[in-house]
Amino acid sequence: MAFSSSVSSSRMIHSPAALAYQSKLNNNQNNKKIFHCRSFSPLPFISRLSYVSRRRKGESLNKHIMASVTDISVDKLTEEAQIPKGQMWSVHKFGGTCVGTSQRIKNVGEIIVNDDTERKLIVVSAMSKVTDMMYDLIYKAQLRNDSYLSALDAVFEKHQLTAHDLLDGDELAGFLSRLHHDISNLKAMLRAIYIAGHATESFTDFVVGHGELWSAQMLAAVVRKNGIDCKWMDTREVLIVNPTSSNQVDPDFSESEKRLEKWFSQSPSNTIIATGFIASTPDNIPTTLKRDGSDFSAAIMGALLRAHQVTIWTDVDGVYSADPRKVSEAVILRTLSYQEAWEMSYFGANVLHPRTIIPVMRYDIPIVIRNIFNLSAPGTMICRPPVDENEDEQIIDSPVKGFATIDNLALVNVEGTGMAGVPGTANAIFGAVKDVGANVIMISQVFFNKHRCLVTDYGEVKAVAEALESRFREALNAGRLSQVAIVPNCSILAAVGQKMASTPGVSATLFNALAKANINIRAIAQGCSEYNITVVLKREDCIRALRAVHSRFYLSRTTIAMGIIGPGLIGATLLDQLRDQAAVLKEDFNIDLRVMGITGSRTMVLSDTGIDLSTWRELLKEKGEVADVEKFTQLVHGNHFIPNTVLVDCTADSNVASCYHDWLRRGIHVITPNKKANSGPLDQYLKLRPLQRKSYTHYFYEATVGAGLPIISTLRGLLETGDHILRIEGIFSGTLSYLFNSFVGTRSFSEVVTEAKEAGYTEPDPRDDLSGTDVARKVIILARESGLKLELSDLPVQSLVPEPLKACASAEEFMKQLPQFDKELAKQRQEAEDAGEVLRYVGVVDAINKEGRVELRRYKRDHPFAQLSGSDNIIAFTTKRYKEQPLIVRGPGAGAQVTAGGIFSDILRLASYLGAPS
């Protein structure tokens, strides 16, 4: 093997294979010392593998792997040349995506050149996918798979082509020479691994670190090509770390600072390109900084230099308030405190690894996350919040900064009264978990130790449960412990925010948002610092829960997914009203109403993001699919980014009404003018009403009685404030109101009905209005709302359809024969007029006698019912409080516009209940 590194005469060089071959020194064309390692045979290399393996077991080592080129001490160099530190330094880190191609490396070079900081250190990762390619080389070699050779050729080809695109002249020749040298060394090393069938961790770290070496060298050459003096740093010569586990290392800041001083004394420069990810142990053995190592490298270098800022360049605009793949409304956070970033990263948010924050926190160095592909985006700054933060902003800002989730978890419950007050129980539990090498993500414990639950990775839960059962076998057999139970398919949702600690009601708001989205919580944990609240949920509920709490806390916007059933006259009018008002609601009231589906009896149209209501008729006609209520419900409720769902039934269909119970049970809100559910069989009604309380859903049906008039809400207001209903009496039909308001003078009843039918005030078959069934249903609804348990069949209804005409085959035949029966109503009208009265068709709820009826009645001309005009409705509430003078509600009670308006009002009431500002 031959390994070369451009260094000055006094720099220490480290090679993992140094014991396998003899070293020598040569001068290069710049009189810099270059250390070469001869090619070696497999046997010495295998010996080296064995040596490193023994070192990992703790055997003593009498001398360093490498001797320094000269015998100049670190302390002497530190005295001779102190590296300047402080605000003049900025540190940048560019990840693999940022340097994934030659063009992107050029872009990085431009950013470095344009940075006007006096001094800058740039930490660079390997080119995109290269680290994975290097690990694959080790993997294939250990399996004795000859394809490692072609894989190594692919690595060489990738960097050779990139170098040709970027460099020329001596820079190109120099880099290609080193690249050839390194590839030759790697080939010999991989051959030895191939023969041994095993690679130690040290050799693996050495191999995979080459990607950073090559990208740093190329980037440094690109910067020099732009006329800037620039040196590249192999950070294995500077960063010293102590491995603490297979997945973590601790930086030795004191030793690293000394080595940085030494490095800078020999290679002073205002612009340094440093390798990320790689470092060395105190014994000068190459290692890596493990997961997110390049970010960690940048943070350590920033701390060593006391830089004014560390910028992490990536491919996103910053840190989001939630995962944007799960919450489409997630926004970029302008600032995060160290603690907030720390908490979010622990709970799976794509921020930074928690250890990355530790070095910069010591010196209050801010970290900025920026997008290299969108330089105009300011990014997210992670820093210590100022002490004198504006109090007004504290009040306005949400106390929760962001949300994060972890999936594929399981809950392990350890239950039993035998744990109560027994010292050492927790130690035994955690000892058993430690023995199987599992990671506990969250712990929850009830009062006095009777119940503990642990959250761990689903792949580890079986081993954890078996270990606990084994440890507590005696207690289980004796009954002191009742069970060790596994709850699979769990997820964690964490709410994070530094201001949570000083804001009352955060937990209540969080749990309320989850309850309103019909989400059940399995376990809860909150630390005394109050920086996060963590809940365990069913995995299938996790995304919906995330959207619900994000919408409630962060966006200050109530977003509701809507499904409109029945795009007939009323449904179409409602859709047009939503179209005209949606923008105003969103802009001025923070209510985002999205129609995800529209279905008729035959066709439906669906959308994952929301239907364009300006073209809904065309979409339903041209792109409609066969109507399927279950598929419609599933998409509107389940396959989108919105936690709250409402289905609006604008039909008069009893089959649709029969679905309400299932919808409410599934957490879907229901709004309707359809009277069939509330006036249907009493037992179904009695099951429907309490269900919304159990499932935290809302069932609004104001338009079932008074169209746009507040009849139901007025009645509920009276009852909820302690009033007692004595009697409800009213003209509930706009059609029948119009008929009897117009049935005056010498006009015949059939003439008035014909006029109303031609004007569109009646149903296509006027018998549907004249039968009184519609009024009867409204009376039943009000009676039941008042507490009476009446069936529709209990109501005596006076039909205005002459008995002989009930069997007419068509509406046309009915209208043709109706004039034959004008005399009877004309006689009743005349008798009423002679008595100074008028005829009105009314419905009555008699709460005292617990009955109701629908009939044609006479009223004095000064009575409020006698003073209506057009199709107005009027309802009088006689109560204990309003006994002498009834409470009257009057106004238009029919027509598509007012009925749709009543439904719209219920939608806005739902939005208010779900958190929209009033």
Side-chain angles (χ1 to χ4, degrees), residues 316-525:
V316 294
D317 286 344
V319 180
Y320 283 87
S321 53
D323 188 339
R325 295 168 297 181
K326 298 176 181 178
V327 181
S328 60
E329 292 85 3
V331 298
I332 297 293
L333 302 174
R334 297 299 299 272
T335 62
L336 276 175
S337 71
Y338 294 124
Q339 288 81 4
E340 287 168 339
W342 205 338
E343 296 284 352
M344 289 184 70
S345 61
Y346 266 125
F347 288 96
N350 187 20
V351 186
L352 291 171
H353 192 280
R355 63 181 181 167
T356 303
I357 301 169
I358 298 173
V360 296
M361 281 183 65
R362 297 174 62 184
Y363 303 104
D364 286 344
I365 301 170
I367 299 178
V368 179
I369 313 294
R370 292 197 61 188
N371 189 351
I372 193 170
F373 305 115
N374 183 14
L375 299 181
S376 62
T380 300
M381 177 175 287
I382 300 171
C383 59
R384 190 179 304 279
V387 177
D388 58 343
E389 232 178 345
N390 186 285
E391 293 184 3
D392 293 335
E393 289 183 3
Q394 286 187 337
I395 295 172
I396 295 171
D397 288 349
S398 169
V400 178
K401 207 58 164 293
F403 301 89
T405 59
I406 307 176
D407 294 322
N408 299 318
L409 304 176
L411 198 65
V412 182
N413 285 322
V414 182
E415 301 178 18
T417 56
M419 292 190 298
V422 179
T425 303
N427 181 61
I429 291 174
F430 298 133
V433 174
K434 178 185 177 184
D435 289 344
V436 297
N439 180 36
V440 176
I441 299 171
M442 193 193 97
I443 304 164
S444 183
Q445 175 180 309
V446 300
F447 177 69
F448 214 18
N449 302 343
K450 293 180 181 180
H451 175 118
R452 281 190 178 89
C453 65
L454 317 174
V455 179
T456 186
D457 187 87
Y458 182 70
E460 300 174 335
V461 69
K462 185 177 180 181
V464 170
E466 290 175 352
L468 290 171
E469 287 175 351
S470 176
R471 180 67 65 90
F472 293 102
R473 177 65 58 197
E474 182 180 342
L476 286 166
N477 292 337
R480 295 194 303 274
L481 289 185
S482 57
Q483 66 172 341
V484 176
I486 296 174
V487 181
N489 301 319
C490 294
S491 293
I492 274 180
L493 167 65
V496 175
Q498 193 162 349
K499 294 179 184 177
M500 289 165 55
S502 58
T503 306
V506 174
S507 297
T509 304
L510 176 75
F511 300 144
N512 185 255
L514 293 172
K516 288 182 176 180
N518 202 35
I519 303 295
N520 186 42
I521 299 171
R522 304 304 301 263
I524 303 166

Side-chain angles (χ1 to χ4, degrees), residues 729-754:
E729 184 175 1
I731 298 173
F732 296 101
S733 168
T735 299
L736 292 170
S737 177
Y738 176 85
L739 291 177
F740 285 97
N741 287 335
S742 303
F743 185 41
V744 294
T746 59
R747 304 188 71 188
S748 67
F749 189 71
S750 61
E751 178 185 350
V752 173
V753 172
T754 300

